Amino acid sequence: MLKKLVASLVAFAMAFGVFFTSQAHAEAQFGPASWRTEDGKYELTVNATSTERDISIIIWGVRYVNYNNGVAKLPSDLSGLSVRLCNASTGNCTAFKKFNLLPGNTGVAFFYNMNPGTYYVDIADSWRSYYFAGKIQAIRGNF
């Protein structure tokens, strides 16, 4: 339980830093950009280097939209969403990861020790009659 609390606090601090720290102290940032599931497009392009191999994916402003009536709502959690990184050169993808929920319906997922290269961010949802949309940003560094 304590491990989960510490991990959540670290994730929140990193997400908070994305919005409120100066660029001089941040590693590489990608985005922000808008994203939507089930549109056949990748959400963002990121890269890992030989010295910065960890990537965090942060989403916020998440809404789910009913295909039948177009009504958008705030999800109570982000358990219906998962994210993976796909290598642009090889096409190989990581396993899907769930987002850790942060205050303000913000989510973060971490990918550690990635091979240097360019990756496409792919967010998927598990809800049949809905698609999800929001904002996304990624940070590359050594976490």
Side-chain angles (χ1 to χ4, degrees):
M1 181 68 177
L2 184 59
K3 261 186 170 176
K4 278 188 169 184
L5 177 62
V6 170
S8 293
L9 290 173
V10 168
F12 178 71
M14 289 180 64
F16 186 81
V18 168
F19 300 110
F20 298 107
T21 60
S22 71
Q23 294 295 321
H25 298 304
E27 275 84 356
Q29 296 185 22
F30 307 89
S34 296
W35 61 272
R36 176 185 160 179
T37 59
E38 302 176 19
D39 64 356
K41 299 177 186 175
Y42 290 113
E43 281 59 62
L44 195 64
T45 302
V46 300
N47 64 46
T49 67
S50 60
T51 57
E52 295 178 339
R53 299 176 59 161
D54 302 333
I55 297 172
S56 65
I57 308 297
I58 303 148
I59 58 171
W60 70 96
V62 178
R63 304 271 191 272
Y64 65 95
V65 181
N66 186 310
Y67 276 119
N68 296 322
N69 60 20
V71 173
K73 296 182 180 179
L74 289 171
S76 59
D77 61 44
L78 301 176
S79 62
L81 295 173
S82 55
V83 60
R84 67 181 177 174
L85 300 180
C86 296
N87 186 295
S89 297
T90 66
N92 294 336
C93 298
T94 65
F96 276 103
K97 292 186 175 194
K98 294 288 187 181
F99 286 96
N100 295 312
L101 184 63
L102 303 175
N105 222 24
T106 299
V108 65
F110 295 97
F111 294 88
Y112 298 104
N113 202 27
M114 299 298 295
N115 289 328
T118 300
Y119 294 89
Y120 300 124
V121 179
D122 182 27
I123 299 176
D125 72 76
S126 60
W127 292 19
R128 293 187 103 192
S129 300
Y130 299 86
Y131 68 86
F132 285 73
K135 297 288 187 184
I136 185 171
Q137 186 163 19
I139 300 173
R140 179 190 72 217
N142 296 309
F143 311 132

